[in-house]
């Protein structure tokens, strides 16, 4: 709880690294964060989930279904929280691409296949200063070629 005390907003980026087995790490972690935010009156949250939430579920690779299911639970926790949220659902996050600050944001649909970790971070920070994407699920992407 102390980690959020005194903050204006929270950015949630939770994951399981390379463990793709069934989990509740992300959804339970999100519940704890939302509880703390509510206790301290923090109203804005930007959360990173997965572009697979925007896919037809029958097309999600089977080995990624358990993690995608927990991202679903995470999204539900946030939607039901009453907070002003931005659900960021990035495609592949590239380590080897630069910060450009120039990317495409789409609402409730996939925009592209890749985003650099730097541009993704840029977008998270940009969301702190606007309500344009509040209570929306967005994908952020760029063509780096």
């Amino acid at each position: 709880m102390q980690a959020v005390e005194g903050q204006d907003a929270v950015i949630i980026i939770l994951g399981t690294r390379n463990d793709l087995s069934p989990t509740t790490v992300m959804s339970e972690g999100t519940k704890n964060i939302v509880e703390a935010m509510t206790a301290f009156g923090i109203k804005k949250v930007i959360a990173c989930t997965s572009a697979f939430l925007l896919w037809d579920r029958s097309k999600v690779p089977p080995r990624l279904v358990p993690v995608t299911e927990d991202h679903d639970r995470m999204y539900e926790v946030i939607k039901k929280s009453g907070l002003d949220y931005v659900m960021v659902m990035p495609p592949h996050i590239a380590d080897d691409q630069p910060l450009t600050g120039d990317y495409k944001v789409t609402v409730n649909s996939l925009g592209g296949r890749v985003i650099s970790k730097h541009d993704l971070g840029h977008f998270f920070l940009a969301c702190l200063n606007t309500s344009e994407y509040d209570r929306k699920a967005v994908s952020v992407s760029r063509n780096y070629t």
Side-chain angles (χ1 to χ4, degrees):
M1 277 220 196
Q2 294 173 348
V4 302
E5 185 176 8
Q7 304 305 312
D8 296 324
V10 173
I11 298 173
I12 300 175
I13 305 171
L14 298 173
T16 59
R17 297 288 241 175
N18 296 323
D19 182 356
L20 301 177
S21 61
T23 186
T24 58
V25 166
M26 296 169 292
S27 57
E28 289 299 319
T30 298
K31 283 180 191 175
N32 292 334
I33 293 166
V34 166
E35 246 178 54
M37 290 178 69
T38 302
F40 289 109
I42 302 165
K43 303 286 185 210
K44 177 95 172 197
V45 62
I46 295 93
C48 187
T49 58
S50 167
F52 289 125
L53 296 184
L54 298 169
W55 285 36
D56 174 339
R57 283 309 156 82
S58 66
K59 296 186 175 155
V60 174
R63 68 187 184 90
L64 299 176
V65 167
V67 172
T68 301
E69 289 171 343
D70 200 38
H71 277 136
D72 263 334
R73 289 186 290 273
M74 182 179 174
Y75 187 17
E76 288 304 312
V77 167
I78 291 174
K79 279 196 310 190
K80 292 176 182 175
S81 70
L83 299 172
D84 293 328
Y85 66 85
V86 181
M87 293 302 299
V88 184
M89 301 175 178
H92 172 72
I93 302 169
D95 286 332
D96 61 345
Q97 297 298 328
L99 170 64
T100 68
D102 179 27
Y103 38 78
K104 178 166 68 168
V105 180
T106 55
V107 177
N108 291 322
S109 66
L110 291 169
R113 298 181 60 134
V114 68
I115 187 71
S116 78
K117 65 182 179 182
H118 308 288
D119 279 336
L120 183 57
H122 184 273
F123 181 70
F124 290 146
L125 296 176
C127 287
L128 296 173
N129 296 311
T130 183
S131 59
E132 179 178 0
Y133 302 110
D134 283 5
R135 298 188 180 265
K136 295 179 181 163
V138 300
S139 179
V140 56
S141 62
R142 176 177 168 77
N143 182 352
Y144 292 93
T145 58

